Amino acid sequence: MSVVNAIIFDLDGVLVNTIEMHYQAWRKVAQSGGRELTRTQMEELRGVQRNECLSILFPDRELTPDVVDYFIQIKHNSYTEALRKLKPQDVLIDNALDIIYKAREMGLKLGIASSSMNALRVLEHVGIASLFDRIAGGDKVVHSKPRSDIFVWVAGALGVFPRHALVFEDSVKGIRGAKDANMKSVGVVNPDTKPLADIYYDKLSDVDLETLLFDLDLRVGGSPHRF
């Protein structure tokens, strides 16, 4: 049996229902640059930092600082405007709060590892930012998922060894990053994560945390093992 001292959550699509807002915002960016973005192509952008997303959207275009700022402002304005129109209960995914409260009750440290620059804004909008010990958005590390950097950063900030952290993710890039960090992973919602994750659930509402830890042969280890 292995020890777990922390849970690290991806944000968009895992705890909050914001994937459609991201898609529509990136679609506006693509259209402003004379491109179209399909939902299938959107999968390439999930878990990726903004500048890298622009390189994927416009591979043959020179992305000068001014051009990058122009596109990023379109993305930011579209996304934040859509977020403001939603009530917190419309954004939180079913069972997210129950899992978070149960994890805290069990003594687990909690972190967010998101590639979004709006991670803190979203958490504050739904009123749960204070429930997390560390929050990392897209500005915390240079290399985005599938690199393991953001997961390792969050684990270090929480004061736990990476191997003692459990990751919830809905993207293939995120699962790969978690595996590279030597972390156990839970795939949710996206069936493409199923072959890579240690365990998979079609919906977050299917997750019972105690059962999940039992199925992964994990026990809560008490005080975090600090570096």
Side-chain angles (χ1 to χ4, degrees):
M1 181 171 283
S2 300
V3 168
V4 61
N5 285 315
I7 297 180
I8 300 174
F9 295 92
D10 178 39
L11 183 58
D12 299 300
V14 175
L15 297 179
V16 293
N17 189 24
T18 50
I19 296 299
E20 181 65 18
M21 290 191 293
H22 279 293
Y23 168 63
Q24 294 299 337
W26 280 119
R27 189 173 177 222
K28 286 184 179 180
V29 172
Q31 290 172 339
S32 71
R35 302 288 174 84
E36 188 55 66
L37 177 67
T38 67
R39 294 183 185 278
T40 299
Q41 292 167 335
M42 178 64 192
E43 287 301 311
E44 296 181 53
L45 308 185
R46 292 178 68 171
V48 177
Q49 293 172 339
R50 288 178 175 182
N51 285 11
E52 198 171 333
C53 287
L54 291 176
S55 296
I56 294 171
L57 285 174
F58 307 110
D60 53 357
R61 181 165 184 165
E62 183 183 1
L63 296 171
T64 64
D66 286 344
V67 170
V68 169
D69 288 345
Y70 170 73
F71 285 138
I72 292 303
Q73 197 61 46
I74 293 173
K75 166 65 167 62
H76 176 77
N77 290 345
S78 175
Y79 181 83
T80 54
E81 181 181 352
L83 181 64
R84 280 196 299 268
K85 294 177 181 178
L86 293 177
K87 297 177 181 178
Q89 59 267 32
D90 297 327
V91 181
L92 270 172
I93 289 176
D94 289 346
N95 201 35
L97 270 179
D98 290 339
I99 293 173
I100 292 167
Y101 285 136
K102 183 62 178 179
R104 290 182 64 86
E105 178 186 313
M106 296 171 75
L108 289 162
K109 295 284 188 178
L110 297 182
I112 293 288
S114 172
S115 296
S116 173
M117 300 293 284
N118 288 302
L120 180 58
R121 182 191 301 271
V122 173
L123 291 167
E124 289 176 340
H125 181 76
V126 298
I128 62 172
S130 63
L131 298 179
F132 295 91
D133 301 291
R134 289 292 184 273
I135 297 168
D139 59 336
K140 284 297 181 186
V141 295
V142 174
H143 301 293
S144 60
K145 305 167 189 177
R147 298 282 286 272
S148 63
D149 299 34
I150 195 165
F151 296 114
V152 174
W153 188 94
V154 175
L158 293 174
V160 303
F161 288 116
R163 67 178 180 273
H164 294 156
L166 175 67
V167 171
F168 277 70
E169 264 284 355
D170 72 326
S171 74
V172 170
K173 288 184 176 72
I175 295 292
R176 285 177 175 160
K179 289 177 73 69
D180 283 348
N182 197 28
M183 298 175 176
K184 293 282 189 180
S185 60
V186 182
V188 292
V189 181
N190 181 2
D192 289 342
T193 65
K194 190 173 184 178
L196 298 172
D198 292 290
I199 195 167
Y200 174 78
Y201 295 89
D202 288 318
K203 304 184 298 295
L204 193 70
S205 56
D206 292 337
V207 177
D208 174 82
L209 191 56
E210 289 184 337
T211 302
L212 167 62
L213 297 183
F214 178 83
D215 289 343
L216 289 178
D217 199 27
L218 296 173
R219 65 173 178 83
V220 179
S223 299
H225 293 260
R226 297 188 173 275
F227 293 103

